[in-house]
């Protein structure tokens, strides 16, 4: 089954974790044995060969760099200019992967359909490039609004205005407050360029303000449900209904603390908390029950998004194991048509409408 994963921090892994994603995951992990600088060392689940093995033809891949004001304790850059430079290094890495034939940029309908034809041609995937759509997770690095068009010109097609904490254009997870004039101006510029709004990570105030002011395409690349795990990072049923009304697609994430309640970072284990891929289906099914159909969910794993196997479903060794999800859906009673929609079809419908 063809899979689209709408959220992977590939360049962050390459540039900050120093992972050569051309290698098999086992090799990446072997080289990290003994490293203790990050909690997920030696526990990677994502690399380009694993994506091919899992028939993950298209990913939404991020640029990510936060600006932090002096009082802000989150990790991040001390000026927007430094954050911009960081994201430019990340773009450079994606372009280098293109040069190697490892990845290919998907920026419009023509490149999307050409790429799908290649992956559907019946030949093995071993040497096919992984298609990527560029998404900016947190807009802090856009030094001025003129930088939005500069970024569009090198391929940026989606922006999540916020990430964790307070942002320059919007307030994110664990923060509160509105986007204000500067955030609304960002939305206007995105609308002019037909850049997809990623609603993930917007705090409630900023989320509703964005819904009021943005008239372009909206998706949520990696989100789960507040009704199942109560945290502001998750969507309330009211927010999910709003996204359904806008024909959005919500990507189900595989970060264990969002999947099961009462997760304690660094202490809980996926086995101990009974966190497996079935739990993802619980969240996806909750959204389908609200929608009355399976048209608004997809996959947006966030795997290796600053966590590894220690904080991922225990029945997933690498991202290639996403291929077990279709059977879990079938066992829940989803039809073959619905399973295809969830694994890739809904993202494709969304993109074909957004880019027509
Ligand atoms: Zn995220």
């Amino acid at each position: 089954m063809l899979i689209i994963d709408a959220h992977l921090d590939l360049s962050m892994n390459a540039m900050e974790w120093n992972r050569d994603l051309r290698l098999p995951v086992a090799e990446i992990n072997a080289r990290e044995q003994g490293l203790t600088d990050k909690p997920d060392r030696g526990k990677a689940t994502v690399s380009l060969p694993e994506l091919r093995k899992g028939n993950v033809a298209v990913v939404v891949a991020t640029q990510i760099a936060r600006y932090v004001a002096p009082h802000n304790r989150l990790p991040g850059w001390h000026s927007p200019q430094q954050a911009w430079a960081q994201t430019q290094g990340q773009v450079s890495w994606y372009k280098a992967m293109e040069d190697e034939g490892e990845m290919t940029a998907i920026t419009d309908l023509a490149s999307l359909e050409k790429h799908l034809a290649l992956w559907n041609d019946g030949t093995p995937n071993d040497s096919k490039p992984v298609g990527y759509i560029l998404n900016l997770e947190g807009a802090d690095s856009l030094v001025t609004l003129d930088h939005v068009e500069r970024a569009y010109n090198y391929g940026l097609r989606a922006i999540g205005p916020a990430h964790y904490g307070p942002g320059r254009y919007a307030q994110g997870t664990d923060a509160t407050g509105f986007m204000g004039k500067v955030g609304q101006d960002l939305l206007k510029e995105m609308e002019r360029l037909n850049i997809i709004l990623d609603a993930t990570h917007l705090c409630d105030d900023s989320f509703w303000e964005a819904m009021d002011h943005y008239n372009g395409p909206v998706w949520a690349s990696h989100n789960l449900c507040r009704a199942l795990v109560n945290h502001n990072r998750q969507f309330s049923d009211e927010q999910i209904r709003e996204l359904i009304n806008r024909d959005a697609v919500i990507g189900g994430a595989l970060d264990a603390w969002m999947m099961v309640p009462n997760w304690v970072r660094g202490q809980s284990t996926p086995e101990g908390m009974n966190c497996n891929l079935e739990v993802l289906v619980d969240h996806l099914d909750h959204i389908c029950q609200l929608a009355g159909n399976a048209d608004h969910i997809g996959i947006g794993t966030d795997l290796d998004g600053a966590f590894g196997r220690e904080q991922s479903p225990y029945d997933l060794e690498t991202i290639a194991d996403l291929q077990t999800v279709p059977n879990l859906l079938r066992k829940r009673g989803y039809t073959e048509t619905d399973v295809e929609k969830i694994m890739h079809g809904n993202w494709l419908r969304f993109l074909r409408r957004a880019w027509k």
Side-chain angles (χ1 to χ4, degrees):
M1 169 98 42
L2 191 95
I3 294 177
I4 297 180
D5 185 341
H7 194 82
L8 289 174
D9 297 314
L10 295 181
S11 65
M12 184 188 85
N13 275 272
M15 304 304 294
E16 291 181 60
W17 269 245
N18 196 7
R19 289 173 170 165
D20 183 354
L21 298 184
R22 299 174 303 170
L23 301 176
V25 155
E27 270 183 60
I28 291 171
N29 285 334
R31 193 161 177 182
E32 292 186 0
Q33 291 312 309
L35 291 184
T36 54
D37 59 322
K38 297 178 191 294
D40 56 328
R41 284 298 184 194
K43 300 188 176 86
T45 61
V46 179
S47 77
L48 293 163
E50 296 298 335
L51 287 167
R52 292 187 192 101
K53 203 193 287 178
N55 209 25
V56 184
V58 178
V59 302
V60 179
T62 63
Q63 297 175 277
I64 180 166
R66 176 188 296 111
Y67 161 71
V68 283
H71 60 272
N72 187 341
R73 296 270 187 86
L74 289 170
W77 297 98
H78 291 187
S79 72
Q81 290 78 5
Q82 287 167 279
W84 170 260
Q86 176 73 4
T87 62
Q88 298 318 289
Q90 294 167 346
V91 174
S92 260
W93 177 78
Y94 288 117
K95 303 287 180 199
M97 289 302 99
E98 288 184 49
D99 292 344
E100 297 297 310
E102 295 274 353
M103 299 182 75
T104 189
I106 295 176
T107 55
D108 55 17
L109 271 189
S111 49
L112 175 65
E113 302 299 351
K114 188 178 159 212
H115 182 71
L116 292 172
L118 174 68
W119 276 70
N120 287 326
D121 71 359
T123 65
N125 297 333
D126 316 27
S127 59
K128 291 175 187 171
V130 173
Y132 76 99
I133 298 164
L134 198 59
N135 173 38
L136 180 65
E137 184 170 26
D140 290 355
S141 60
L142 298 167
V143 181
T144 70
L145 286 180
D146 291 339
H147 287 68
V148 183
E149 186 163 2
R150 280 167 72 173
Y152 181 88
N153 288 337
Y154 63 65
L156 186 68
R157 291 297 179 268
I159 295 177
H163 190 226
Y164 278 86
R168 293 181 59 227
Y169 295 94
Q171 311 314 315
T173 300
D174 294 335
T176 55
F178 293 94
M179 299 180 74
K181 168 100 171 59
V182 64
Q184 291 172 20
D185 288 346
L186 171 68
L187 294 175
K188 255 181 235 146
E189 182 64 354
M190 288 167 60
E191 203 173 303
R192 184 180 74 81
L193 295 162
N194 195 34
I195 291 176
I196 296 159
L197 169 64
D198 189 346
T200 294
H201 283 298
L202 289 170
C203 74
D204 288 5
D205 296 335
S206 289
F207 173 91
W208 290 108
E209 187 178 5
M211 293 304 122
D212 282 348
H213 285 86
Y214 188 71
N215 302 302
V218 180
W219 70 25
S221 61
H222 57 306
N223 251 103
L224 294 174
C225 307
R226 206 174 287 183
L228 302 188
V229 178
N230 187 12
H231 189 280
N232 72 78
R233 167 76 180 80
Q234 318 264 63
F235 285 139
S236 67
D237 287 357
E238 195 188 3
Q239 289 172 312
I240 292 169
R241 284 199 189 90
E242 171 70 16
L243 291 167
I244 291 165
N245 288 339
R246 298 180 72 115
D247 203 15
V249 178
I250 302 167
L254 292 178
D255 194 342
W257 80 263
M258 294 165 59
M259 299 174 71
V260 293
N262 306 316
W263 181 274
V264 182
R265 236 176 251 268
Q267 287 181 31
S268 300
T269 63
E271 291 83 0
M273 300 296 278
N274 211 13
C275 181
N276 54 27
L277 289 167
E278 283 278 355
V279 178
L280 170 69
V281 178
D282 294 340
H283 284 266
L284 297 180
D285 190 64
H286 179 78
I287 297 171
C288 290
Q289 300 308 323
L290 292 175
N293 58 51
D295 294 346
H296 300 283
I297 52 170
I299 304 294
T301 65
D302 202 12
L303 287 169
D304 290 358
F307 62 93
R309 285 204 71 189
E310 81 290 354
Q311 200 173 299
S312 305
Y314 63 75
D315 49 352
L316 179 140
E317 189 177 338
T318 79
I319 195 164
D321 295 322
L322 284 179
Q323 283 296 342
T324 63
V325 174
N327 252 337
L328 299 178
L329 290 165
R330 288 178 195 119
K331 272 195 251 158
R332 285 292 172 102
Y334 284 83
T335 65
E336 202 54 31
T337 311
D338 284 343
V339 174
E340 284 174 14
K341 282 182 184 174
I342 294 165
M343 301 313 292
H344 61 261
N346 288 332
W347 293 124
L348 292 179
R349 182 193 78 236
F350 180 98
L351 288 166
R352 284 174 175 140
R353 198 200 46 197
W355 288 349
K356 75 170 184 290

